[in-house]
Amino acid sequence: MNILLVSRGYPTKQEPTWGCFEKDQAESLSQLGHKVTIISVDIRFRWHWRKLGVTHQIIDGVNVYNLFCIPYALLFFLPTHLKHKFYAFLYKRLCKKVIQTEGIPDVIYAHYLNYMYYGIQLQKELNVPLVGIEHWSEMGKKEIQPSTLQRAQQIYSQLDQLIVVSSALKQNILNNIPLQTPIHIVNNMVGNEFRYTPVQSHHPLTLVSTGSLIQRKGYDLLIEALAQIPDLPQDWQLLIIGDGILKSKLEKTITDKGLQQHIHLVGRKNKQQIADIFHNSDFFVLP
């Protein structure tokens, strides 16, 4: 099967988690014998250099195409619906170039709500089935913004199939949106690099947690909690893997609590690096 996967992007050295879910599934589909092509459009503002125009790589058997052009920030004053139309135009332009080389796909597969919208625009051009997979945390909230619900209703109803990553997410969507579209559950995968092999070496009592440094991840609560435990070993440590807008605030909290010798924000890591840290740790903490 020739699969065209509409994605946010693909992991790089600078951004090892950007598009990581899409990468995992693309590689697994490729290993099952399917031809998989990922397309992404990057109009984000970032400090690191990226090549303008279309780039193409073959990574672990997956064709990866990316279009980089005008940063999204320059479109700040455009209404949201016009931004989406502009983004959809770029995806259609990239897709037209890709199918000249990779051929017309048998199915379009899109991750996340907004990218399903771009998939719909491609489906209108190619007239092939469209499958969406939802794992956007916004759709798992108890109270979803009305504008998001309206958009989700419009987009999900145009899919041939909708996949979600948990039974709880499926139920939450059905509780909020009356849908006729078939919904299937396919959990996120865990790669072989995360097969646990404890390292038999001496190290301090080590806790590890991983995720974006944003409010809903609860790292502020974790730091506060650890500051209140009186009987931890003298040389314990917590390693927090990830980056985000709360980094400076968390660093200040760590310093204010006098825990800078124990709690370390180690930044973003790729999957193999994360696995290595796990193997050298004693406990995983999910705050």
Side-chain angles (χ1 to χ4, degrees):
M1 183 179 289
N2 187 354
I3 302 171
L4 180 68
L5 198 157
V6 182
S7 170
R8 299 167 294 169
Y10 210 79
T12 63
K13 184 177 180 180
Q14 295 88 351
E15 297 182 280
T17 60
W18 183 245
C20 60
F21 296 115
E22 294 93 317
K23 175 181 180 293
D24 286 345
Q25 292 200 351
E27 289 180 358
S28 293
L29 289 167
S30 176
Q31 289 166 11
L32 289 170
H34 302 292
K35 177 180 179 180
V36 184
T37 302
I38 284 187
I39 62 171
S40 60
V41 173
D42 189 358
I43 57 176
R44 300 170 302 147
F45 178 79
R46 290 292 184 272
W47 288 110
H48 59 268
W49 181 87
R50 286 156 292 170
K51 183 180 178 181
L52 283 169
V54 177
T55 57
H56 174 221
Q57 304 175 76
I58 300 177
I59 305 174
D60 295 325
V62 177
N63 279 290
V64 181
Y65 287 85
N66 179 258
L67 170 61
F68 174 59
C69 62
I70 303 169
Y72 205 73
L74 299 180
L75 307 175
F76 180 78
F77 295 104
L78 282 178
T80 300
H81 73 281
L82 290 181
K83 291 178 185 176
H84 284 305
K85 285 185 180 296
F86 176 66
Y87 221 169
F89 165 75
L90 294 177
Y91 269 98
K92 285 196 283 188
R93 180 181 172 187
L94 176 58
C95 180
K96 186 175 180 180
K97 180 179 179 63
V98 167
I99 62 176
Q100 291 176 355
T101 304
E102 309 301 339
I104 296 176
D106 298 305
V107 63
I108 300 170
Y109 184 39
H111 284 247
Y112 298 102
L113 181 64
N114 284 337
Y115 298 89
M116 294 176 206
Y117 169 76
Y118 308 133
I120 290 169
Q121 310 315 306
L122 301 180
Q123 183 191 39
K124 291 176 181 177
E125 300 280 332
L126 301 176
N127 194 31
V128 297
L130 172 61
V131 177
I133 179 166
E134 189 60 88
H135 38 128
W136 186 23
S137 56
E138 185 69 25
M139 299 310 299
K141 289 182 177 179
K142 188 174 182 180
E143 295 184 6
I144 304 173
Q145 292 289 333
S147 58
T148 301
L149 281 176
Q150 183 180 14
R151 184 170 177 78
Q153 167 108 42
Q154 293 171 345
I155 290 173
Y156 292 160
S157 63
Q158 296 181 69
L159 303 174
D160 292 285
Q161 299 277 337
L162 175 62
I163 296 172
V164 296
V165 297
S166 71
S167 56
L169 181 55
K170 175 180 178 179
Q171 194 57 54
N172 200 58
I173 289 173
L174 291 175
N175 287 344
N176 286 279
I177 304 172
L179 275 183
Q180 300 300 317
T181 304
I183 304 180
H184 302 280
I185 300 169
V186 178
N187 302 117
N188 280 331
M189 297 175 293
V190 179
N192 286 331
E193 65 269 44
F194 286 104
R195 186 172 294 159
Y196 183 58
T197 307
V199 174
Q200 301 299 321
S201 63
H202 175 74
H203 57 259
L205 174 68
T206 302
L207 299 85
V208 61
S209 193
T210 181
S212 298
L213 306 185
I214 56 179
Q215 191 65 45
R216 63 184 172 82
K217 295 298 185 181
Y219 290 122
D220 54 340
L221 299 177
L222 178 57
I223 294 166
E224 293 280 353
L226 288 170
Q228 296 180 42
I229 299 176
D231 54 353
L232 285 169
Q234 187 174 358
D235 58 352
W236 69 273
Q237 61 177 347
L238 166 67
L239 307 178
I240 299 177
I241 305 167
D243 201 357
I245 59 174
L246 293 185
K247 181 179 180 181
S248 296
K249 183 178 178 181
L250 294 175
E251 287 175 334
K252 183 177 185 304
T253 303
I254 291 167
T255 301
D256 290 347
K257 299 294 181 181
L259 296 175
Q260 57 268 42
Q261 299 302 316
H262 297 286
I263 301 180
H264 309 284
L265 307 180
V266 299
R268 286 195 181 104
K269 303 293 181 184
N270 63 39
K271 288 194 172 184
Q272 189 56 60
Q273 290 170 326
I274 293 172
D276 291 341
I277 293 173
F278 281 6
H279 295 162
N280 283 282
S281 302
D282 300 293
F283 296 97
F284 177 78
V285 186
L286 181 64

